[in-house]
Amino acid sequence: QVQLVESGGGLVQPGGSLRLSCAASGSIFSINDMGWYRQVPGKQRELVAVITSGGVTNYADSVKGRFTISRDNAKNTVYLQMNSLKPEDTAPYYCNVDAYPNRWQRLVYWGQGTQVTVSS
């Protein structure tokens, strides 16, 4: 099995910055895409950003130019640098990893969520 440990959430004022981290550990044969989602109460979970194993990135329109996703393949870790934060960015953020725990299985794993609150 693959375990995901997230960190970096918290309370920040509008215009501030936070950096989220998500480290994958356990039985890992290889990792494909790594990403971040968020879910505002009453709404569906939405993709914030995703990065492929080759480093290709994709962002939600609402965060383009403000958020940057990156990964360290040697550490099996994905990061989300969030700048110019807005109150509407407030939500729990979930790490998502598409991985092979062995050469035969491909599974999607979710982190436990880390809360980001943007408020003055």
Side-chain angles (χ1 to χ4, degrees):
Q1 284 291 347
V2 176
Q3 295 82 41
L4 303 180
V5 177
E6 301 163 347
S7 61
L11 172 65
V12 64
Q13 292 186 341
S17 299
L18 284 174
R19 189 191 194 210
L20 306 183
S21 299
C22 173
S25 62
S27 175
I28 300 174
F29 179 74
S30 66
I31 296 178
N32 299 321
D33 295 355
M34 304 180 83
W36 292 93
Y37 287 71
R38 64 188 182 189
Q39 186 167 17
V40 177
K43 294 187 177 182
Q44 286 188 332
R45 189 171 293 189
E46 65 171 355
L47 174 68
V48 176
V50 64
I51 184 168
T52 70
S53 57
V56 177
T57 59
N58 190 35
Y59 297 92
D61 288 343
S62 59
V63 307
K64 283 181 181 177
R66 301 189 296 123
F67 291 10
T68 301
I69 190 170
S70 61
R71 64 192 281 173
D72 184 333
N73 290 330
K75 296 181 179 180
N76 291 330
T77 300
V78 61
Y79 306 95
L80 186 67
Q81 177 66 43
M82 303 184 293
N83 299 328
S84 302
L85 282 160
K86 305 176 181 179
E88 51 264 43
D89 294 318
T90 295
Y93 283 67
Y94 298 91
C95 175
N96 174 276
V97 172
D98 176 0
Y100 285 86
N102 52 63
R103 67 175 64 196
W104 302 281
Q105 280 184 301
R106 181 177 180 177
L107 298 172
V108 175
Y109 299 90
W110 289 93
Q112 78 282 2
T114 184
Q115 179 67 36
V116 171
T117 302
V118 185
S119 175
S120 54

PDB file of all heavy atoms in Angstrom, residues 27-46:
ATOM      1  N   SER A  27       4.789   0.835  -0.255  1.00  0.00           N
ATOM      2  CA  SER A  27       5.103  -0.023  -1.391  1.00  0.00           C
ATOM      3  C   SER A  27       4.856   0.735  -2.687  1.00  0.00           C
ATOM      4  O   SER A  27       3.720   0.906  -3.106  1.00  0.00           O
ATOM      5  CB  SER A  27       4.227  -1.276  -1.354  1.00  0.00           C
ATOM      6  OG  SER A  27       4.424  -2.069  -2.500  1.00  0.00           O
ATOM      7  N   ILE A  28       5.915   1.240  -3.297  1.00  0.00           N
ATOM      8  CA  ILE A  28       5.794   2.041  -4.514  1.00  0.00           C
ATOM      9  C   ILE A  28       6.676   1.451  -5.603  1.00  0.00           C
ATOM     10  O   ILE A  28       7.890   1.398  -5.450  1.00  0.00           O
ATOM     11  CB  ILE A  28       6.194   3.512  -4.257  1.00  0.00           C
ATOM     12  CG1 ILE A  28       5.292   4.137  -3.191  1.00  0.00           C
ATOM     13  CG2 ILE A  28       6.104   4.306  -5.566  1.00  0.00           C
ATOM     14  CD1 ILE A  28       5.724   5.531  -2.776  1.00  0.00           C
ATOM     15  N   PHE A  29       6.042   1.030  -6.694  1.00  0.00           N
ATOM     16  CA  PHE A  29       6.801   0.571  -7.857  1.00  0.00           C
ATOM     17  C   PHE A  29       7.099   1.766  -8.759  1.00  0.00           C
ATOM     18  O   PHE A  29       8.221   1.958  -9.208  1.00  0.00           O
ATOM     19  CB  PHE A  29       6.025  -0.507  -8.598  1.00  0.00           C
ATOM     20  CG  PHE A  29       6.703  -1.037  -9.813  1.00  0.00           C
ATOM     21  CD1 PHE A  29       7.791  -1.892  -9.696  1.00  0.00           C
ATOM     22  CD2 PHE A  29       6.269  -0.694 -11.090  1.00  0.00           C
ATOM     23  CE1 PHE A  29       8.435  -2.388 -10.815  1.00  0.00           C
ATOM     24  CE2 PHE A  29       6.904  -1.189 -12.224  1.00  0.00           C
ATOM     25  CZ  PHE A  29       7.990  -2.040 -12.083  1.00  0.00           C
ATOM     26  N   SER A  30       6.076   2.577  -9.022  1.00  0.00           N
ATOM     27  CA  SER A  30       6.269   3.812  -9.782  1.00  0.00           C
ATOM     28  C   SER A  30       5.084   4.737  -9.538  1.00  0.00           C
ATOM     29  O   SER A  30       4.023   4.294  -9.106  1.00  0.00           O
ATOM     30  CB  SER A  30       6.416   3.544 -11.279  1.00  0.00           C
ATOM     31  OG  SER A  30       5.212   3.032 -11.811  1.00  0.00           O
ATOM     32  N   ILE A  31       5.294   6.019  -9.816  1.00  0.00           N
ATOM     33  CA  ILE A  31       4.243   7.015  -9.643  1.00  0.00           C
ATOM     34  C   ILE A  31       4.003   7.727 -10.954  1.00  0.00           C
ATOM     35  O   ILE A  31       4.957   8.146 -11.622  1.00  0.00           O
ATOM     36  CB  ILE A  31       4.604   8.028  -8.541  1.00  0.00           C
ATOM     37  CG1 ILE A  31       4.709   7.329  -7.183  1.00  0.00           C
ATOM     38  CG2 ILE A  31       3.558   9.142  -8.472  1.00  0.00           C
ATOM     39  CD1 ILE A  31       5.107   8.250  -6.045  1.00  0.00           C
ATOM     40  N   ASN A  32       2.750   7.859 -11.340  1.00  0.00           N
ATOM     41  CA  ASN A  32       2.385   8.601 -12.546  1.00  0.00           C
ATOM     42  C   ASN A  32       2.072  10.057 -12.158  1.00  0.00           C
ATOM     43  O   ASN A  32       2.936  10.766 -11.685  1.00  0.00           O
ATOM     44  CB  ASN A  32       1.211   7.926 -13.233  1.00  0.00           C
ATOM     45  CG  ASN A  32       1.537   6.518 -13.664  1.00  0.00           C
ATOM     46  OD1 ASN A  32       2.640   6.222 -14.125  1.00  0.00           O
ATOM     47  ND2 ASN A  32       0.590   5.618 -13.513  1.00  0.00           N
ATOM     48  N   ASP A  33       0.834  10.458 -12.323  1.00  0.00           N
ATOM     49  CA  ASP A  33       0.458  11.825 -12.003  1.00  0.00           C
ATOM     50  C   ASP A  33       0.363  12.045 -10.495  1.00  0.00           C
ATOM     51  O   ASP A  33      -0.016  11.147  -9.751  1.00  0.00           O
ATOM     52  CB  ASP A  33      -0.907  12.170 -12.616  1.00  0.00           C
ATOM     53  CG  ASP A  33      -0.895  12.175 -14.128  1.00  0.00           C
ATOM     54  OD1 ASP A  33       0.191  12.011 -14.719  1.00  0.00           O
ATOM     55  OD2 ASP A  33      -1.982  12.342 -14.728  1.00  0.00           O
ATOM     56  N   MET A  34       0.689  13.270 -10.076  1.00  0.00           N
ATOM     57  CA  MET A  34       0.491  13.706  -8.696  1.00  0.00           C
ATOM     58  C   MET A  34      -0.259  15.033  -8.763  1.00  0.00           C
ATOM     59  O   MET A  34       0.041  15.873  -9.621  1.00  0.00           O
ATOM     60  CB  MET A  34       1.818  13.887  -7.966  1.00  0.00           C
ATOM     61  CG  MET A  34       2.690  12.645  -7.976  1.00  0.00           C
ATOM     62  SD  MET A  34       4.259  12.866  -7.102  1.00  0.00           S
ATOM     63  CE  MET A  34       3.730  12.559  -5.397  1.00  0.00           C
ATOM     64  N   GLY A  35      -1.210  15.218  -7.871  1.00  0.00           N
ATOM     65  CA  GLY A  35      -2.002  16.438  -7.966  1.00  0.00           C
ATOM     66  C   GLY A  35      -2.605  16.861  -6.651  1.00  0.00           C
ATOM     67  O   GLY A  35      -2.463  16.191  -5.626  1.00  0.00           O
ATOM     68  N   TRP A  36      -3.279  18.001  -6.734  1.00  0.00           N
ATOM     69  CA  TRP A  36      -3.981  18.568  -5.593  1.00  0.00           C
ATOM     70  C   TRP A  36      -5.413  18.898  -5.996  1.00  0.00           C
ATOM     71  O   TRP A  36      -5.656  19.444  -7.074  1.00  0.00           O
ATOM     72  CB  TRP A  36      -3.285  19.841  -5.110  1.00  0.00           C
ATOM     73  CG  TRP A  36      -1.943  19.608  -4.505  1.00  0.00           C
ATOM     74  CD1 TRP A  36      -0.734  19.658  -5.135  1.00  0.00           C
ATOM     75  CD2 TRP A  36      -1.672  19.278  -3.144  1.00  0.00           C
ATOM     76  NE1 TRP A  36       0.267  19.368  -4.251  1.00  0.00           N
ATOM     77  CE2 TRP A  36      -0.286  19.133  -3.019  1.00  0.00           C
ATOM     78  CE3 TRP A  36      -2.472  19.094  -2.011  1.00  0.00           C
ATOM     79  CZ2 TRP A  36       0.334  18.821  -1.808  1.00  0.00           C
ATOM     80  CZ3 TRP A  36      -1.870  18.779  -0.803  1.00  0.00           C
ATOM     81  CH2 TRP A  36      -0.477  18.646  -0.719  1.00  0.00           C
ATOM     82  N   TYR A  37      -6.324  18.569  -5.108  1.00  0.00           N
ATOM     83  CA  TYR A  37      -7.737  18.887  -5.272  1.00  0.00           C
ATOM     84  C   TYR A  37      -8.185  19.664  -4.039  1.00  0.00           C
ATOM     85  O   TYR A  37      -7.533  19.637  -2.991  1.00  0.00           O
ATOM     86  CB  TYR A  37      -8.577  17.613  -5.387  1.00  0.00           C
ATOM     87  CG  TYR A  37      -8.437  16.867  -6.693  1.00  0.00           C
ATOM     88  CD1 TYR A  37      -7.268  16.184  -7.021  1.00  0.00           C
ATOM     89  CD2 TYR A  37      -9.494  16.840  -7.606  1.00  0.00           C
ATOM     90  CE1 TYR A  37      -7.154  15.502  -8.224  1.00  0.00           C
ATOM     91  CE2 TYR A  37      -9.385  16.161  -8.809  1.00  0.00           C
ATOM     92  CZ  TYR A  37      -8.212  15.488  -9.104  1.00  0.00           C
ATOM     93  OH  TYR A  37      -8.105  14.814 -10.292  1.00  0.00           O
ATOM     94  N   ARG A  38      -9.314  20.346  -4.170  1.00  0.00           N
ATOM     95  CA  ARG A  38      -9.916  21.003  -3.016  1.00  0.00           C
ATOM     96  C   ARG A  38     -11.426  20.849  -3.096  1.00  0.00           C
ATOM     97  O   ARG A  38     -11.987  20.625  -4.177  1.00  0.00           O
ATOM     98  CB  ARG A  38      -9.536  22.487  -2.937  1.00  0.00           C
ATOM     99  CG  ARG A  38     -10.043  23.339  -4.083  1.00  0.00           C
ATOM    100  CD  ARG A  38      -9.439  24.736  -4.007  1.00  0.00           C
ATOM    101  NE  ARG A  38      -9.935  25.601  -5.081  1.00  0.00           N
ATOM    102  CZ  ARG A  38      -9.446  26.807  -5.355  1.00  0.00           C
ATOM    103  NH1 ARG A  38      -8.427  27.306  -4.628  1.00  0.00           N
ATOM    104  NH2 ARG A  38      -9.960  27.526  -6.333  1.00  0.00           N
ATOM    105  N   GLN A  39     -12.069  20.962  -1.944  1.00  0.00           N
ATOM    106  CA  GLN A  39     -13.522  20.768  -1.901  1.00  0.00           C
ATOM    107  C   GLN A  39     -14.152  21.774  -0.967  1.00  0.00           C
ATOM    108  O   GLN A  39     -14.006  21.666   0.262  1.00  0.00           O
ATOM    109  CB  GLN A  39     -13.873  19.349  -1.462  1.00  0.00           C
ATOM    110  CG  GLN A  39     -15.361  19.051  -1.530  1.00  0.00           C
ATOM    111  CD  GLN A  39     -15.662  17.572  -1.407  1.00  0.00           C
ATOM    112  OE1 GLN A  39     -14.837  16.785  -0.966  1.00  0.00           O
ATOM    113  NE2 GLN A  39     -16.857  17.188  -1.817  1.00  0.00           N
ATOM    114  N   VAL A  40     -14.850  22.727  -1.547  1.00  0.00           N
ATOM    115  CA  VAL A  40     -15.599  23.700  -0.768  1.00  0.00           C
ATOM    116  C   VAL A  40     -16.912  23.050  -0.332  1.00  0.00           C
ATOM    117  O   VAL A  40     -17.526  22.332  -1.120  1.00  0.00           O
ATOM    118  CB  VAL A  40     -15.878  24.958  -1.605  1.00  0.00           C
ATOM    119  CG1 VAL A  40     -16.731  25.946  -0.822  1.00  0.00           C
ATOM    120  CG2 VAL A  40     -14.581  25.593  -2.040  1.00  0.00           C
ATOM    121  N   PRO A  41     -17.346  23.270   0.912  1.00  0.00           N
ATOM    122  CA  PRO A  41     -18.613  22.668   1.368  1.00  0.00           C
ATOM    123  C   PRO A  41     -19.755  22.962   0.408  1.00  0.00           C
ATOM    124  O   PRO A  41     -19.933  24.104  -0.041  1.00  0.00           O
ATOM    125  CB  PRO A  41     -18.841  23.327   2.733  1.00  0.00           C
ATOM    126  CG  PRO A  41     -17.478  23.633   3.216  1.00  0.00           C
ATOM    127  CD  PRO A  41     -16.689  24.019   1.998  1.00  0.00           C
ATOM    128  N   GLY A  42     -20.496  21.915   0.067  1.00  0.00           N
ATOM    129  CA  GLY A  42     -21.628  22.068  -0.834  1.00  0.00           C
ATOM    130  C   GLY A  42     -21.278  21.967  -2.300  1.00  0.00           C
ATOM    131  O   GLY A  42     -22.160  22.020  -3.157  1.00  0.00           O
ATOM    132  N   LYS A  43     -19.992  21.805  -2.604  1.00  0.00           N
ATOM    133  CA  LYS A  43     -19.567  21.702  -3.995  1.00  0.00           C
ATOM    134  C   LYS A  43     -18.765  20.429  -4.208  1.00  0.00           C
ATOM    135  O   LYS A  43     -18.279  19.808  -3.274  1.00  0.00           O
ATOM    136  CB  LYS A  43     -18.742  22.916  -4.403  1.00  0.00           C
ATOM    137  CG  LYS A  43     -19.511  24.220  -4.414  1.00  0.00           C
ATOM    138  CD  LYS A  43     -18.667  25.338  -4.998  1.00  0.00           C
ATOM    139  CE  LYS A  43     -19.457  26.630  -5.092  1.00  0.00           C
ATOM    140  NZ  LYS A  43     -18.656  27.736  -5.699  1.00  0.00           N
ATOM    141  N   GLN A  44     -18.612  20.059  -5.478  1.00  0.00           N
ATOM    142  CA  GLN A  44     -17.827  18.876  -5.800  1.00  0.00           C
ATOM    143  C   GLN A  44     -16.338  19.162  -5.609  1.00  0.00           C
ATOM    144  O   GLN A  44     -15.885  20.299  -5.721  1.00  0.00           O
ATOM    145  CB  GLN A  44     -18.084  18.460  -7.255  1.00  0.00           C
ATOM    146  CG  GLN A  44     -19.446  17.816  -7.487  1.00  0.00           C
ATOM    147  CD  GLN A  44     -19.567  17.264  -8.885  1.00  0.00           C
ATOM    148  OE1 GLN A  44     -18.947  17.740  -9.823  1.00  0.00           O
ATOM    149  NE2 GLN A  44     -20.386  16.225  -9.045  1.00  0.00           N
ATOM    150  N   ARG A  45     -15.600  18.086  -5.335  1.00  0.00           N
ATOM    151  CA  ARG A  45     -14.152  18.223  -5.255  1.00  0.00           C
ATOM    152  C   ARG A  45     -13.633  18.639  -6.618  1.00  0.00           C
ATOM    153  O   ARG A  45     -14.020  18.062  -7.644  1.00  0.00           O
ATOM    154  CB  ARG A  45     -13.543  16.907  -4.804  1.00  0.00           C
ATOM    155  CG  ARG A  45     -12.072  16.968  -4.468  1.00  0.00           C
ATOM    156  CD  ARG A  45     -11.596  15.682  -3.824  1.00  0.00           C
ATOM    157  NE  ARG A  45     -12.182  15.481  -2.497  1.00  0.00           N
ATOM    158  CZ  ARG A  45     -11.797  14.516  -1.656  1.00  0.00           C
ATOM    159  NH1 ARG A  45     -10.849  13.675  -2.021  1.00  0.00           N
ATOM    160  NH2 ARG A  45     -12.381  14.407  -0.474  1.00  0.00           N
ATOM    161  N   GLU A  46     -12.765  19.638  -6.669  1.00  0.00           N
ATOM    162  CA  GLU A  46     -12.266  20.137  -7.935  1.00  0.00           C
ATOM    163  C   GLU A  46     -10.752  20.026  -8.016  1.00  0.00           C
ATOM    164  O   GLU A  46     -10.036  20.146  -7.013  1.00  0.00           O
ATOM    165  CB  GLU A  46     -12.679  21.608  -8.124  1.00  0.00           C
ATOM    166  CG  GLU A  46     -12.081  22.575  -7.133  1.00  0.00           C
ATOM    167  CD  GLU A  46     -12.342  24.038  -7.470  1.00  0.00           C
ATOM    168  OE1 GLU A  46     -12.922  24.324  -8.533  1.00  0.00           O
ATOM    169  OE2 GLU A  46     -11.944  24.902  -6.657  1.00  0.00           O
TER     170      GLU A  46
END
